Amino acid sequence: MVDSQYILPNDTSISLLDCCEAFQLLSKDEKLYAHYISRASWYGGLVVLLQTSPESPAIYVLLMKLFRAQTPSELQDTATAVGLSAEEYQAFLIYAAGVFSNMGNYKSFGDTKFVPNLPQEKLKDLVWQSAAYKQKPEEVESLWKVCGQLMYSLDDRQKQLGLGTKGITTYFSGNCELKDAELAQKFLDSKGISAYNTRLFKTAGPNGKTLYEVRLASAINDDAPQEGETDHKCGVYEFDGVTFRVVRGDYAPLMKKVVECLEKAKKHAASPNVVAMLERYIQSFNTGSIEAHKEGSKHWIKDAGPIVESYIGFIESYRDPYGSRGEFEGFVAVVNKDMSAKFAQLVASAERLLPELPWPKEFEKDRFLKPDFTSLDVLTFAGSGIPAGINIPNYDDIRQTVGFKNVSLGNVLAAYSSQKEKLTFLEEEDKDLYVKWRSSSFEIQVGLHELLGHGSGKLFVQDEEGKFNFDSSVVNPETGETVKSWYNHGETWDSKFCTIASTYEECRAECVGMYLCLNKEVLKIFGHEGDDANDVTYVNWMTMVRAGVLGLEFYTPENQKWRQAHMQARFVILRVLLEAGQDFVTIQQTTGSDGKPDAIIHIDRSKIATVGMAALRSFLRKLQVYKTTADVELGRAFYSKYSEVTDAEPHRFLTLRETVLLRKEARKMFVQANTRVEGDDVEFRNYEASAMGLIHSFVDRFSEGDERLESDLQELSTRDLHCWNHV
Ligand code: ZN
């Protein structure tokens, strides 16, 4: 039996990364621009196969061949005929979906290898009986020869990514160790060459000296200086008794496709600044110049609040075991105009909504300031995985002088709470409601949280001249006395509440969301009235209570610390609602149908407006009063009390935490849409949220003319494999 750590479970959750609505609201040029940047991203994303393991490209090409010749459901008939059980075939589909999602056979989250969860002989039988094999037996056999064994092997070195004997990497040839990486870094630094888009291959040179080849990613395969090239780096250098040869053309066929697509995107760019940005990227991907990519990134930062947002290149260096080589990544996200319009209405109603919050008007800001907030939906995220938010560029010098952007990806966050989850800890009838209203309630909660949560409440401050921004007669509603504390000049919320500042503030914002999601005007802005509105409110509260339970995963009993601000905040809210009593919220620790510990959350929805709101009102008012009056002592003690995780009766949270860990889900995979130019319009295509849908989307994505690209990919990987094994 294979350790479950090295397989993807059959019930891995697969979600649709839905961007349809946001995409349809784009203008024609915006659609075309988004389309071509997407194409560039997808082609570039294939580079990750070559950056992961020697066998990844062959596995990818083999899977593409199998599914191009037969759809997943057609191949299922073949599978049944050769004796695969339904579970075994599903395991194969999940494996294929995993290879496509991670762009290789190592998990992008955790860097461990995953292998197909069915016997190797059975998979081989399936391949040999497939239509792809019948069409081109030699091709399929040669692919199997490369990857059939490596797909399954779990030798110690192969279990994870790493350098030398510690693991697998293709950023370096197989004979490189840490000391080679260090020497190469010294060399690169001495020549002012960035490692971001490079790989290192070590061989014996003609004179018997060690020869290191530094390969730059570029479409141009010629090492001679190009016209207008200002930072040409190719050449042979003697360094520290060894020879370095800097060459370009790594991943050339793929980089060429990237450049072609960016050229097409340029024609539909929204501004001259975006054109300039694309021109620098093109220069970078053509010649391998990171300087050009940095220049492009500067233009990118200047492009504030675009309708279509994107970033592309060798970005994150997590997966280079040495930590300086970037993995290719490209994304396109679209401002969700519809959602943004609802948020704008919420802002317009702020003056009427803020007085609803449970604190005296003196504790509210004199004038409502709209916080910076736009919602982006991901259309395309190519590479090894999809984050929920990003903060780029990574070039430190640019971050300090020009700046950076914070991108929050709305539909990724939303998908983390969508339908196909196992929906642990919920009652059956609640699961149906949850599936129906989860994304609606999420939308409202996010809007309220960001705008009226983080945007509300005043801080009492004494300025450097001793003047107060509040009246000395203001009464603290908790004590009934006049206010006795405030922020002195130079003190801020963060400096005063330091270690608990962020989780406390997140908790306050979440509470505002829960509090105002009962408001009829708010519900109407988001299109909900009557019973539906009540359901949305109920699901929002249910989600928060469940999040409080799931949050226990992010608590470490050994040092009694919370590791995640939002999850701690939700646990605190859960505690508040449990404390309200009257059987409003209960958690029953039970035994599941599988005989293992389980739990069931129950919320008495008839008591939300009464018991629930009363508890929340008193809690939220305290949070605000301590914050407004800079009362860090009371605030910290109050918040810490609710953050405590013990095994005391009746809730036994530490035991519950074990159950939460036991029932934790495998990391989710995402199905992404495709776009295609039809006439002078762009067609948008969504797929089913399943392993089959995910596979289908990849086959569609690389259809016309891309078989040629796959033979290029094979050729590149064979060349790498040769170096990897025989140097
Ligand atoms: Zn927040």
Side-chain angles (χ1 to χ4, degrees), residues 307-434:
I307 302 288
V308 179
E309 181 62 283
S310 69
Y311 197 58
I312 186 165
F314 295 85
I315 318 289
E316 303 292 352
S317 53
Y318 310 127
R319 293 183 105 198
D320 165 15
Y322 191 68
S324 63
R325 288 158 187 80
E327 186 172 70
F328 195 94
E329 155 184 323
F331 78 85
V332 181
V334 175
V335 167
N336 187 325
K337 289 181 184 171
D338 202 37
M339 183 120 130
S340 301
K342 288 173 188 167
F343 289 155
Q345 272 195 57
L346 205 54
V347 170
S349 309
E351 266 175 42
R352 274 194 308 282
L353 294 171
L354 288 170
E356 300 286 318
L357 292 171
W359 48 79
K361 66 175 190 311
E362 294 81 6
F363 284 65
E364 191 45 71
K365 287 194 183 73
D366 307 328
R367 198 166 54 86
F368 177 66
L369 295 171
K370 180 187 173 287
D372 278 341
F373 181 64
T374 42
S375 176
L376 293 182
D377 283 348
V378 172
L379 169 67
T380 295
F381 209 113
S384 67
I386 310 178
I390 29 187
N391 185 297
I392 37 182
N394 287 330
Y395 305 122
D396 283 329
D397 46 342
I398 296 185
R399 292 175 70 88
Q400 276 166 36
T401 53
V402 189
F404 53 87
K405 281 195 210 177
N406 234 325
V407 182
S408 169
L409 307 171
N411 59 344
V412 177
L413 285 166
Y416 272 112
S417 49
S418 76
Q419 5 211 335
K420 298 277 171 127
E421 270 183 291
K422 272 189 270 178
L423 298 182
T424 45
F425 314 132
L426 291 183
E427 290 174 293
E428 278 312 313
E429 59 266 37
D430 281 347
K431 287 183 187 174
D432 297 336
L433 279 175
Y434 184 96

Side-chain angles (χ1 to χ4, degrees), residues 449-450 454 505-506 509 566:
H449 172 115
E450 300 291 347
H454 291 313
E505 173 60 10
E506 290 308 330
H566 294 83

Side-chain angles (χ1 to χ4, degrees), residues 425 552-553 656-665:
F425 314 132
L552 284 165
E553 182 191 338
L656 183 60
R657 179 179 167 274
E658 294 299 320
T659 308
V660 169
L661 290 179
L662 176 78
R663 304 214 171 252
K664 197 177 79 159
E665 283 182 74

